[in-house]
PDB file of all heavy atoms in Angstrom:
ATOM      1  N   PHE A   1       1.786  14.976  -8.285  1.00 94.00           N
ATOM      2  CA  PHE A   1       1.725  13.767  -7.677  1.00 94.00           C
ATOM      3  C   PHE A   1       3.103  13.441  -7.010  1.00 94.00           C
ATOM      4  O   PHE A   1       4.110  13.112  -7.698  1.00 94.00           O
ATOM      5  CB  PHE A   1       1.483  12.598  -8.762  1.00 94.00           C
ATOM      6  CG  PHE A   1       0.118  12.641  -9.224  1.00 94.00           C
ATOM      7  CD1 PHE A   1      -0.101  13.530 -10.356  1.00 94.00           C
ATOM      8  CD2 PHE A   1      -0.998  12.015  -8.773  1.00 94.00           C
ATOM      9  CE1 PHE A   1      -1.401  13.551 -10.915  1.00 94.00           C
ATOM     10  CE2 PHE A   1      -2.261  12.165  -9.325  1.00 94.00           C
ATOM     11  CZ  PHE A   1      -2.384  12.898 -10.431  1.00 94.00           C
ATOM     12  N   ASP A   2       3.145  13.398  -5.700  1.00 94.00           N
ATOM     13  CA  ASP A   2       4.435  13.246  -5.001  1.00 94.00           C
ATOM     14  C   ASP A   2       4.248  12.177  -3.855  1.00 94.00           C
ATOM     15  O   ASP A   2       3.383  11.276  -4.016  1.00 94.00           O
ATOM     16  CB  ASP A   2       4.806  14.573  -4.448  1.00 94.00           C
ATOM     17  CG  ASP A   2       3.808  15.280  -3.608  1.00 94.00           C
ATOM     18  OD1 ASP A   2       2.892  14.715  -3.093  1.00 94.00           O
ATOM     19  OD2 ASP A   2       3.940  16.500  -3.369  1.00 94.00           O
ATOM     20  N   ARG A   3       5.060  12.285  -2.911  1.00 94.00           N
ATOM     21  CA  ARG A   3       5.075  11.321  -1.812  1.00 94.00           C
ATOM     22  C   ARG A   3       3.625  11.113  -1.242  1.00 94.00           C
ATOM     23  O   ARG A   3       3.192  10.051  -0.972  1.00 94.00           O
ATOM     24  CB  ARG A   3       5.976  11.769  -0.673  1.00 94.00           C
ATOM     25  CG  ARG A   3       5.746  11.220   0.777  1.00 94.00           C
ATOM     26  CD  ARG A   3       6.615  12.027   1.761  1.00 94.00           C
ATOM     27  NE  ARG A   3       6.166  11.794   3.109  1.00 94.00           N
ATOM     28  CZ  ARG A   3       5.365  12.697   3.697  1.00 94.00           C
ATOM     29  NH1 ARG A   3       4.857  13.709   3.076  1.00 94.00           N
ATOM     30  NH2 ARG A   3       5.099  12.433   4.993  1.00 94.00           N
ATOM     31  N   TYR A   4       2.824  12.242  -1.056  1.00 91.00           N
ATOM     32  CA  TYR A   4       1.590  12.153  -0.440  1.00 91.00           C
ATOM     33  C   TYR A   4       0.631  11.487  -1.329  1.00 91.00           C
ATOM     34  O   TYR A   4      -0.344  10.799  -0.860  1.00 91.00           O
ATOM     35  CB  TYR A   4       1.120  13.483  -0.062  1.00 91.00           C
ATOM     36  CG  TYR A   4       0.668  13.509   1.470  1.00 91.00           C
ATOM     37  CD1 TYR A   4       1.387  14.252   2.374  1.00 91.00           C
ATOM     38  CD2 TYR A   4      -0.319  12.702   1.969  1.00 91.00           C
ATOM     39  CE1 TYR A   4       1.052  14.238   3.772  1.00 91.00           C
ATOM     40  CE2 TYR A   4      -0.646  12.631   3.205  1.00 91.00           C
ATOM     41  CZ  TYR A   4       0.066  13.400   4.184  1.00 91.00           C
ATOM     42  OH  TYR A   4      -0.259  13.421   5.462  1.00 91.00           O
ATOM     43  N   SER A   5       0.792  11.508  -2.608  1.00 93.00           N
ATOM     44  CA  SER A   5      -0.028  10.852  -3.488  1.00 93.00           C
ATOM     45  C   SER A   5      -0.068   9.361  -3.326  1.00 93.00           C
ATOM     46  O   SER A   5      -1.092   8.624  -3.530  1.00 93.00           O
ATOM     47  CB  SER A   5       0.318  11.124  -4.956  1.00 93.00           C
ATOM     48  OG  SER A   5       0.257  12.546  -5.152  1.00 93.00           O
ATOM     49  N   VAL A   6       1.047   8.807  -2.945  1.00 96.00           N
ATOM     50  CA  VAL A   6       1.179   7.339  -2.610  1.00 96.00           C
ATOM     51  C   VAL A   6       0.766   7.065  -1.209  1.00 96.00           C
ATOM     52  O   VAL A   6       0.181   6.037  -0.834  1.00 96.00           O
ATOM     53  CB  VAL A   6       2.578   6.906  -2.960  1.00 96.00           C
ATOM     54  CG1 VAL A   6       2.782   5.408  -2.670  1.00 96.00           C
ATOM     55  CG2 VAL A   6       2.988   7.154  -4.440  1.00 96.00           C
ATOM     56  N   LEU A   7       1.226   7.978  -0.240  1.00 95.00           N
ATOM     57  CA  LEU A   7       1.043   7.675   1.127  1.00 95.00           C
ATOM     58  C   LEU A   7      -0.470   7.771   1.551  1.00 95.00           C
ATOM     59  O   LEU A   7      -0.829   7.106   2.492  1.00 95.00           O
ATOM     60  CB  LEU A   7       1.871   8.643   1.963  1.00 95.00           C
ATOM     61  CG  LEU A   7       1.624   8.806   3.371  1.00 95.00           C
ATOM     62  CD1 LEU A   7       1.896   7.485   4.107  1.00 95.00           C
ATOM     63  CD2 LEU A   7       2.540   9.927   3.963  1.00 95.00           C
ATOM     64  N   LEU A   8      -1.168   8.728   0.972  1.00 91.00           N
ATOM     65  CA  LEU A   8      -2.492   9.060   1.463  1.00 91.00           C
ATOM     66  C   LEU A   8      -3.423   7.955   1.689  1.00 91.00           C
ATOM     67  O   LEU A   8      -4.114   7.849   2.769  1.00 91.00           O
ATOM     68  CB  LEU A   8      -3.199  10.239   0.528  1.00 91.00           C
ATOM     69  CG  LEU A   8      -4.436  10.746   1.102  1.00 91.00           C
ATOM     70  CD1 LEU A   8      -4.344  11.311   2.522  1.00 91.00           C
ATOM     71  CD2 LEU A   8      -5.032  11.746   0.140  1.00 91.00           C
ATOM     72  N   ILE A   9      -3.526   7.009   0.789  1.00 94.00           N
ATOM     73  CA  ILE A   9      -4.428   5.840   1.037  1.00 94.00           C
ATOM     74  C   ILE A   9      -4.002   5.019   2.113  1.00 94.00           C
ATOM     75  O   ILE A   9      -4.811   4.450   2.836  1.00 94.00           O
ATOM     76  CB  ILE A   9      -4.591   5.020  -0.322  1.00 94.00           C
ATOM     77  CG1 ILE A   9      -5.767   3.992  -0.182  1.00 94.00           C
ATOM     78  CG2 ILE A   9      -3.306   4.432  -0.728  1.00 94.00           C
ATOM     79  CD1 ILE A   9      -7.023   4.563   0.199  1.00 94.00           C
ATOM     80  N   GLY A  10      -2.654   4.993   2.424  1.00 96.00           N
ATOM     81  CA  GLY A  10      -2.224   4.219   3.564  1.00 96.00           C
ATOM     82  C   GLY A  10      -2.584   4.942   4.866  1.00 96.00           C
ATOM     83  O   GLY A  10      -2.980   4.196   5.815  1.00 96.00           O
ATOM     84  N   GLU A  11      -2.446   6.236   4.941  1.00 93.00           N
ATOM     85  CA  GLU A  11      -2.967   6.927   5.977  1.00 93.00           C
ATOM     86  C   GLU A  11      -4.508   6.774   6.204  1.00 93.00           C
ATOM     87  O   GLU A  11      -4.970   6.468   7.382  1.00 93.00           O
ATOM     88  CB  GLU A  11      -2.679   8.425   5.866  1.00 93.00           C
ATOM     89  CG  GLU A  11      -1.375   8.879   6.022  1.00 93.00           C
ATOM     90  CD  GLU A  11      -1.155  10.393   6.198  1.00 93.00           C
ATOM     91  OE1 GLU A  11      -2.059  11.083   5.742  1.00 93.00           O
ATOM     92  OE2 GLU A  11      -0.142  10.862   6.560  1.00 93.00           O
ATOM     93  N   ILE A  12      -5.299   6.801   5.179  1.00 93.00           N
ATOM     94  CA  ILE A  12      -6.784   6.637   5.312  1.00 93.00           C
ATOM     95  C   ILE A  12      -7.012   5.299   5.853  1.00 93.00           C
ATOM     96  O   ILE A  12      -7.843   5.076   6.700  1.00 93.00           O
ATOM     97  CB  ILE A  12      -7.431   6.913   3.960  1.00 93.00           C
ATOM     98  CG1 ILE A  12      -7.327   8.374   3.585  1.00 93.00           C
ATOM     99  CG2 ILE A  12      -8.831   6.558   4.003  1.00 93.00           C
ATOM    100  CD1 ILE A  12      -7.793   8.650   2.204  1.00 93.00           C
ATOM    101  N   CYS A  13      -6.421   4.275   5.267  1.00 96.00           N
ATOM    102  CA  CYS A  13      -6.606   2.928   5.801  1.00 96.00           C
ATOM    103  C   CYS A  13      -6.205   2.657   7.250  1.00 96.00           C
ATOM    104  O   CYS A  13      -6.899   2.034   7.998  1.00 96.00           O
ATOM    105  CB  CYS A  13      -5.934   1.829   4.995  1.00 96.00           C
ATOM    106  SG  CYS A  13      -6.463   1.639   3.293  1.00 96.00           S
ATOM    107  N   GLN A  14      -5.152   3.331   7.607  1.00 96.00           N
ATOM    108  CA  GLN A  14      -4.757   3.267   9.003  1.00 96.00           C
ATOM    109  C   GLN A  14      -5.842   3.946   9.852  1.00 96.00           C
ATOM    110  O   GLN A  14      -6.105   3.488  11.064  1.00 96.00           O
ATOM    111  CB  GLN A  14      -3.401   3.914   9.212  1.00 96.00           C
ATOM    112  CG  GLN A  14      -2.803   3.774  10.586  1.00 96.00           C
ATOM    113  CD  GLN A  14      -3.338   4.889  11.569  1.00 96.00           C
ATOM    114  OE1 GLN A  14      -3.591   5.983  11.240  1.00 96.00           O
ATOM    115  NE2 GLN A  14      -3.394   4.535  12.848  1.00 96.00           N
ATOM    116  N   ARG A  15      -6.337   5.009   9.498  1.00 94.00           N
ATOM    117  CA  ARG A  15      -7.427   5.718  10.337  1.00 94.00           C
ATOM    118  C   ARG A  15      -8.606   4.761  10.509  1.00 94.00           C
ATOM    119  O   ARG A  15      -9.343   4.723  11.526  1.00 94.00           O
ATOM    120  CB  ARG A  15      -7.953   6.967   9.659  1.00 94.00           C
ATOM    121  CG  ARG A  15      -6.754   7.969   9.381  1.00 94.00           C
ATOM    122  CD  ARG A  15      -6.081   8.504  10.562  1.00 94.00           C
ATOM    123  NE  ARG A  15      -5.182   9.644  10.178  1.00 94.00           N
ATOM    124  CZ  ARG A  15      -3.823   9.459   9.976  1.00 94.00           C
ATOM    125  NH1 ARG A  15      -3.290   8.190  10.124  1.00 94.00           N
ATOM    126  NH2 ARG A  15      -3.090  10.361   9.620  1.00 94.00           N
ATOM    127  N   PHE A  16      -8.927   4.056   9.327  1.00 96.00           N
ATOM    128  CA  PHE A  16     -10.031   3.057   9.522  1.00 96.00           C
ATOM    129  C   PHE A  16      -9.762   1.905  10.511  1.00 96.00           C
ATOM    130  O   PHE A  16     -10.521   1.570  11.321  1.00 96.00           O
ATOM    131  CB  PHE A  16     -10.427   2.391   8.152  1.00 96.00           C
ATOM    132  CG  PHE A  16     -11.285   3.239   7.314  1.00 96.00           C
ATOM    133  CD1 PHE A  16     -11.143   4.601   7.029  1.00 96.00           C
ATOM    134  CD2 PHE A  16     -12.444   2.661   6.721  1.00 96.00           C
ATOM    135  CE1 PHE A  16     -11.961   5.333   6.357  1.00 96.00           C
ATOM    136  CE2 PHE A  16     -13.329   3.260   6.011  1.00 96.00           C
ATOM    137  CZ  PHE A  16     -13.134   4.640   5.728  1.00 96.00           C
ATOM    138  N   ILE A  17      -8.504   1.360  10.458  1.00 97.00           N
ATOM    139  CA  ILE A  17      -8.083   0.470  11.458  1.00 97.00           C
ATOM    140  C   ILE A  17      -8.074   0.942  12.823  1.00 97.00           C
ATOM    141  O   ILE A  17      -8.565   0.343  13.742  1.00 97.00           O
ATOM    142  CB  ILE A  17      -6.576  -0.051  10.984  1.00 97.00           C
ATOM    143  CG1 ILE A  17      -6.555  -0.761   9.668  1.00 97.00           C
ATOM    144  CG2 ILE A  17      -6.067  -1.030  12.043  1.00 97.00           C
ATOM    145  CD1 ILE A  17      -5.194  -0.924   9.084  1.00 97.00           C
ATOM    146  N   GLU A  18      -7.580   2.246  12.966  1.00 96.00           N
ATOM    147  CA  GLU A  18      -7.501   2.881  14.364  1.00 96.00           C
ATOM    148  C   GLU A  18      -8.822   2.906  14.951  1.00 96.00           C
ATOM    149  O   GLU A  18      -8.963   2.853  16.155  1.00 96.00           O
ATOM    150  CB  GLU A  18      -6.793   4.120  14.160  1.00 96.00           C
ATOM    151  CG  GLU A  18      -6.679   4.886  15.465  1.00 96.00           C
ATOM    152  CD  GLU A  18      -6.152   6.332  15.332  1.00 96.00           C
ATOM    153  OE1 GLU A  18      -6.107   6.800  14.169  1.00 96.00           O
ATOM    154  OE2 GLU A  18      -5.666   6.995  16.249  1.00 96.00           O
ATOM    155  N   THR A  19      -9.899   3.227  14.121  1.00 95.00           N
ATOM    156  CA  THR A  19     -11.194   3.580  14.704  1.00 95.00           C
ATOM    157  C   THR A  19     -12.171   2.422  14.422  1.00 95.00           C
ATOM    158  O   THR A  19     -13.403   2.677  14.618  1.00 95.00           O
ATOM    159  CB  THR A  19     -11.711   4.851  14.094  1.00 95.00           C
ATOM    160  OG1 THR A  19     -11.832   4.738  12.693  1.00 95.00           O
ATOM    161  CG2 THR A  19     -10.780   6.022  14.397  1.00 95.00           C
ATOM    162  N   GLY A  20     -11.779   1.280  14.100  1.00 95.00           N
ATOM    163  CA  GLY A  20     -12.672   0.150  14.050  1.00 95.00           C
ATOM    164  C   GLY A  20     -13.560   0.031  12.865  1.00 95.00           C
ATOM    165  O   GLY A  20     -14.746  -0.435  12.876  1.00 95.00           O
ATOM    166  N   MET A  21     -13.216   0.775  11.811  1.00 96.00           N
ATOM    167  CA  MET A  21     -14.049   0.727  10.569  1.00 96.00           C
ATOM    168  C   MET A  21     -13.592  -0.261   9.551  1.00 96.00           C
ATOM    169  O   MET A  21     -12.428  -0.510   9.469  1.00 96.00           O
ATOM    170  CB  MET A  21     -14.144   2.174   9.968  1.00 96.00           C
ATOM    171  CG  MET A  21     -14.785   3.277  10.819  1.00 96.00           C
ATOM    172  SD  MET A  21     -14.700   4.811  10.042  1.00 96.00           S
ATOM    173  CE  MET A  21     -15.928   4.588   8.754  1.00 96.00           C
ATOM    174  N   GLU A  22     -14.510  -0.733   8.717  1.00 96.00           N
ATOM    175  CA  GLU A  22     -14.157  -1.724   7.718  1.00 96.00           C
ATOM    176  C   GLU A  22     -13.640  -1.098   6.434  1.00 96.00           C
ATOM    177  O   GLU A  22     -14.262  -0.176   5.880  1.00 96.00           O
ATOM    178  CB  GLU A  22     -15.455  -2.646   7.359  1.00 96.00           C
ATOM    179  CG  GLU A  22     -15.083  -3.725   6.383  1.00 96.00           C
ATOM    180  CD  GLU A  22     -16.237  -4.670   6.116  1.00 96.00           C
ATOM    181  OE1 GLU A  22     -17.247  -4.470   6.912  1.00 96.00           O
ATOM    182  OE2 GLU A  22     -16.184  -5.480   5.252  1.00 96.00           O
ATOM    183  N   VAL A  23     -12.483  -1.488   6.028  1.00 97.00           N
ATOM    184  CA  VAL A  23     -11.851  -0.909   4.878  1.00 97.00           C
ATOM    185  C   VAL A  23     -12.526  -1.566   3.652  1.00 97.00           C
ATOM    186  O   VAL A  23     -12.707  -2.785   3.605  1.00 97.00           O
ATOM    187  CB  VAL A  23     -10.361  -1.222   4.838  1.00 97.00           C
ATOM    188  CG1 VAL A  23      -9.733  -0.835   3.515  1.00 97.00           C
ATOM    189  CG2 VAL A  23      -9.656  -0.612   6.011  1.00 97.00           C
ATOM    190  N   THR A  24     -12.982  -0.689   2.669  1.00 95.00           N
ATOM    191  CA  THR A  24     -13.734  -1.225   1.568  1.00 95.00           C
ATOM    192  C   THR A  24     -12.835  -1.912   0.473  1.00 95.00           C
ATOM    193  O   THR A  24     -11.684  -1.609   0.423  1.00 95.00           O
ATOM    194  CB  THR A  24     -14.525  -0.062   0.948  1.00 95.00           C
ATOM    195  OG1 THR A  24     -13.627   0.847   0.321  1.00 95.00           O
ATOM    196  CG2 THR A  24     -15.279   0.688   1.964  1.00 95.00           C
ATOM    197  N   PRO A  25     -13.415  -2.709  -0.356  1.00 96.00           N
ATOM    198  CA  PRO A  25     -12.625  -3.247  -1.484  1.00 96.00           C
ATOM    199  C   PRO A  25     -11.976  -2.189  -2.328  1.00 96.00           C
ATOM    200  O   PRO A  25     -10.880  -2.330  -2.838  1.00 96.00           O
ATOM    201  CB  PRO A  25     -13.728  -4.084  -2.221  1.00 96.00           C
ATOM    202  CG  PRO A  25     -14.667  -4.498  -1.197  1.00 96.00           C
ATOM    203  CD  PRO A  25     -14.847  -3.312  -0.278  1.00 96.00           C
ATOM    204  N   GLN A  26     -12.693  -1.143  -2.615  1.00 93.00           N
ATOM    205  CA  GLN A  26     -12.139  -0.033  -3.431  1.00 93.00           C
ATOM    206  C   GLN A  26     -10.991   0.482  -2.765  1.00 93.00           C
ATOM    207  O   GLN A  26      -9.876   0.834  -3.394  1.00 93.00           O
ATOM    208  CB  GLN A  26     -13.206   1.103  -3.596  1.00 93.00           C
ATOM    209  CG  GLN A  26     -12.637   2.248  -4.358  1.00 93.00           C
ATOM    210  CD  GLN A  26     -12.345   2.104  -5.756  1.00 93.00           C
ATOM    211  OE1 GLN A  26     -13.221   2.112  -6.606  1.00 93.00           O
ATOM    212  NE2 GLN A  26     -11.053   1.867  -6.140  1.00 93.00           N
ATOM    213  N   MET A  27     -10.909   0.803  -1.413  1.00 95.00           N
ATOM    214  CA  MET A  27      -9.780   1.250  -0.670  1.00 95.00           C
ATOM    215  C   MET A  27      -8.671   0.280  -0.751  1.00 95.00           C
ATOM    216  O   MET A  27      -7.501   0.647  -0.855  1.00 95.00           O
ATOM    217  CB  MET A  27     -10.111   1.606   0.729  1.00 95.00           C
ATOM    218  CG  MET A  27     -11.203   2.783   0.866  1.00 95.00           C
ATOM    219  SD  MET A  27     -11.834   2.903   2.587  1.00 95.00           S
ATOM    220  CE  MET A  27     -10.341   3.204   3.500  1.00 95.00           C
ATOM    221  N   LYS A  28      -8.861  -0.981  -0.612  1.00 97.00           N
ATOM    222  CA  LYS A  28      -7.830  -1.930  -0.773  1.00 97.00           C
ATOM    223  C   LYS A  28      -7.252  -2.004  -2.123  1.00 97.00           C
ATOM    224  O   LYS A  28      -6.061  -2.207  -2.227  1.00 97.00           O
ATOM    225  CB  LYS A  28      -8.411  -3.385  -0.429  1.00 97.00           C
ATOM    226  CG  LYS A  28      -8.805  -3.508   1.067  1.00 97.00           C
ATOM    227  CD  LYS A  28      -9.178  -4.970   1.399  1.00 97.00           C
ATOM    228  CE  LYS A  28      -9.471  -5.136   2.861  1.00 97.00           C
ATOM    229  NZ  LYS A  28      -9.865  -6.496   3.166  1.00 97.00           N
ATOM    230  N   GLU A  29      -8.011  -1.841  -3.125  1.00 96.00           N
ATOM    231  CA  GLU A  29      -7.472  -1.716  -4.523  1.00 96.00           C
ATOM    232  C   GLU A  29      -6.592  -0.476  -4.685  1.00 96.00           C
ATOM    233  O   GLU A  29      -5.488  -0.501  -5.235  1.00 96.00           O
ATOM    234  CB  GLU A  29      -8.630  -1.557  -5.494  1.00 96.00           C
ATOM    235  CG  GLU A  29      -8.259  -1.465  -7.081  1.00 96.00           C
ATOM    236  CD  GLU A  29      -9.388  -1.392  -7.904  1.00 96.00           C
ATOM    237  OE1 GLU A  29     -10.449  -1.931  -7.631  1.00 96.00           O
ATOM    238  OE2 GLU A  29      -9.210  -0.756  -8.988  1.00 96.00           O
ATOM    239  N   TRP A  30      -7.006   0.640  -4.113  1.00 95.00           N
ATOM    240  CA  TRP A  30      -6.106   1.908  -4.078  1.00 95.00           C
ATOM    241  C   TRP A  30      -4.818   1.581  -3.343  1.00 95.00           C
ATOM    242  O   TRP A  30      -3.782   2.011  -3.701  1.00 95.00           O
ATOM    243  CB  TRP A  30      -6.840   3.026  -3.554  1.00 95.00           C
ATOM    244  CG  TRP A  30      -7.947   3.618  -4.412  1.00 95.00           C
ATOM    245  CD1 TRP A  30      -8.070   3.555  -5.799  1.00 95.00           C
ATOM    246  CD2 TRP A  30      -9.070   4.385  -3.989  1.00 95.00           C
ATOM    247  NE1 TRP A  30      -9.141   4.128  -6.242  1.00 95.00           N
ATOM    248  CE2 TRP A  30      -9.808   4.694  -5.240  1.00 95.00           C
ATOM    249  CE3 TRP A  30      -9.528   4.757  -2.816  1.00 95.00           C
ATOM    250  CZ2 TRP A  30     -11.074   5.360  -5.156  1.00 95.00           C
ATOM    251  CZ3 TRP A  30     -10.773   5.449  -2.733  1.00 95.00           C
ATOM    252  CH2 TRP A  30     -11.424   5.784  -3.856  1.00 95.00           C
ATOM    253  N   LEU A  31      -5.033   0.943  -2.163  1.00 97.00           N
ATOM    254  CA  LEU A  31      -3.818   0.639  -1.334  1.00 97.00           C
ATOM    255  C   LEU A  31      -2.865  -0.323  -2.076  1.00 97.00           C
ATOM    256  O   LEU A  31      -1.663  -0.117  -1.923  1.00 97.00           O
ATOM    257  CB  LEU A  31      -4.235   0.011  -0.070  1.00 97.00           C
ATOM    258  CG  LEU A  31      -3.136  -0.329   1.027  1.00 97.00           C
ATOM    259  CD1 LEU A  31      -2.411   0.989   1.405  1.00 97.00           C
ATOM    260  CD2 LEU A  31      -3.818  -0.941   2.287  1.00 97.00           C
ATOM    261  N   ARG A  32      -3.284  -1.218  -2.866  1.00 98.00           N
ATOM    262  CA  ARG A  32      -2.554  -2.111  -3.622  1.00 98.00           C
ATOM    263  C   ARG A  32      -1.757  -1.284  -4.619  1.00 98.00           C
ATOM    264  O   ARG A  32      -0.592  -1.584  -4.890  1.00 98.00           O
ATOM    265  CB  ARG A  32      -3.360  -3.320  -4.229  1.00 98.00           C
ATOM    266  CG  ARG A  32      -2.419  -4.205  -5.113  1.00 98.00           C
ATOM    267  CD  ARG A  32      -1.461  -5.014  -4.083  1.00 98.00           C
ATOM    268  NE  ARG A  32      -0.226  -5.307  -4.759  1.00 98.00           N
ATOM    269  CZ  ARG A  32       0.658  -6.186  -4.285  1.00 98.00           C
ATOM    270  NH1 ARG A  32       0.363  -6.950  -3.208  1.00 98.00           N
ATOM    271  NH2 ARG A  32       1.791  -6.339  -4.936  1.00 98.00           N
ATOM    272  N   ASN A  33      -2.384  -0.353  -5.279  1.00 97.00           N
ATOM    273  CA  ASN A  33      -1.623   0.496  -6.175  1.00 97.00           C
ATOM    274  C   ASN A  33      -0.443   1.248  -5.556  1.00 97.00           C
ATOM    275  O   ASN A  33       0.564   1.280  -6.117  1.00 97.00           O
ATOM    276  CB  ASN A  33      -2.575   1.567  -6.774  1.00 97.00           C
ATOM    277  CG  ASN A  33      -3.618   1.054  -7.684  1.00 97.00           C
ATOM    278  OD1 ASN A  33      -3.512  -0.117  -8.186  1.00 97.00           O
ATOM    279  ND2 ASN A  33      -4.706   1.770  -7.976  1.00 97.00           N
ATOM    280  N   ALA A  34      -0.663   1.729  -4.343  1.00 97.00           N
ATOM    281  CA  ALA A  34       0.333   2.337  -3.592  1.00 97.00           C
ATOM    282  C   ALA A  34       1.520   1.285  -3.278  1.00 97.00           C
ATOM    283  O   ALA A  34       2.682   1.612  -3.394  1.00 97.00           O
ATOM    284  CB  ALA A  34      -0.197   3.009  -2.322  1.00 97.00           C
ATOM    285  N   VAL A  35       1.098   0.103  -2.892  1.00 98.00           N
ATOM    286  CA  VAL A  35       2.076  -0.928  -2.543  1.00 98.00           C
ATOM    287  C   VAL A  35       2.898  -1.222  -3.806  1.00 98.00           C
ATOM    288  O   VAL A  35       4.110  -1.411  -3.623  1.00 98.00           O
ATOM    289  CB  VAL A  35       1.240  -2.259  -2.117  1.00 98.00           C
ATOM    290  CG1 VAL A  35       2.189  -3.512  -2.136  1.00 98.00           C
ATOM    291  CG2 VAL A  35       0.799  -2.015  -0.676  1.00 98.00           C
ATOM    292  N   ASP A  36       2.321  -1.284  -4.902  1.00 98.00           N
ATOM    293  CA  ASP A  36       3.107  -1.607  -6.154  1.00 98.00           C
ATOM    294  C   ASP A  36       4.193  -0.547  -6.421  1.00 98.00           C
ATOM    295  O   ASP A  36       5.217  -0.868  -6.979  1.00 98.00           O
ATOM    296  CB  ASP A  36       2.179  -1.692  -7.339  1.00 98.00           C
ATOM    297  CG  ASP A  36       1.282  -2.924  -7.285  1.00 98.00           C
ATOM    298  OD1 ASP A  36       1.737  -3.884  -6.562  1.00 98.00           O
ATOM    299  OD2 ASP A  36       0.280  -3.053  -7.970  1.00 98.00           O
ATOM    300  N   VAL A  37       3.924   0.668  -6.028  1.00 98.00           N
ATOM    301  CA  VAL A  37       4.938   1.755  -6.178  1.00 98.00           C
ATOM    302  C   VAL A  37       6.099   1.497  -5.135  1.00 98.00           C
ATOM    303  O   VAL A  37       7.225   1.616  -5.505  1.00 98.00           O
ATOM    304  CB  VAL A  37       4.352   3.175  -5.920  1.00 98.00           C
ATOM    305  CG1 VAL A  37       5.432   4.224  -5.911  1.00 98.00           C
ATOM    306  CG2 VAL A  37       3.307   3.488  -7.065  1.00 98.00           C
ATOM    307  N   VAL A  38       5.655   1.144  -3.957  1.00 98.00           N
ATOM    308  CA  VAL A  38       6.758   1.013  -2.839  1.00 98.00           C
ATOM    309  C   VAL A  38       7.491  -0.161  -3.002  1.00 98.00           C
ATOM    310  O   VAL A  38       8.736  -0.181  -2.877  1.00 98.00           O
ATOM    311  CB  VAL A  38       5.961   1.120  -1.479  1.00 98.00           C
ATOM    312  CG1 VAL A  38       6.911   0.664  -0.426  1.00 98.00           C
ATOM    313  CG2 VAL A  38       5.370   2.476  -1.291  1.00 98.00           C
ATOM    314  N   LEU A  39       6.816  -1.300  -3.360  1.00 98.00           N
ATOM    315  CA  LEU A  39       7.622  -2.579  -3.417  1.00 98.00           C
ATOM    316  C   LEU A  39       8.808  -2.541  -4.355  1.00 98.00           C
ATOM    317  O   LEU A  39       9.880  -3.049  -4.096  1.00 98.00           O
ATOM    318  CB  LEU A  39       6.735  -3.782  -3.742  1.00 98.00           C
ATOM    319  CG  LEU A  39       5.793  -4.320  -2.756  1.00 98.00           C
ATOM    320  CD1 LEU A  39       4.940  -5.500  -3.204  1.00 98.00           C
ATOM    321  CD2 LEU A  39       6.500  -4.644  -1.426  1.00 98.00           C
ATOM    322  N   VAL A  40       8.645  -1.977  -5.526  1.00 98.00           N
ATOM    323  CA  VAL A  40       9.748  -2.011  -6.498  1.00 98.00           C
ATOM    324  C   VAL A  40      10.789  -0.885  -6.142  1.00 98.00           C
ATOM    325  O   VAL A  40      11.876  -0.868  -6.725  1.00 98.00           O
ATOM    326  CB  VAL A  40       9.281  -1.589  -7.885  1.00 98.00           C
ATOM    327  CG1 VAL A  40       8.279  -2.652  -8.389  1.00 98.00           C
ATOM    328  CG2 VAL A  40       8.607  -0.115  -8.032  1.00 98.00           C
TER     329      VAL A  40
END
């Protein structure tokens, strides 16, 4: 588990934003986990 383990969900969400897809609640939960690593 390295940089990409935290970054990947951010990349996936960005691809959804880029292509007009709706980000699911599960994806937002995973993204929040990544946020919690980054914020501290």
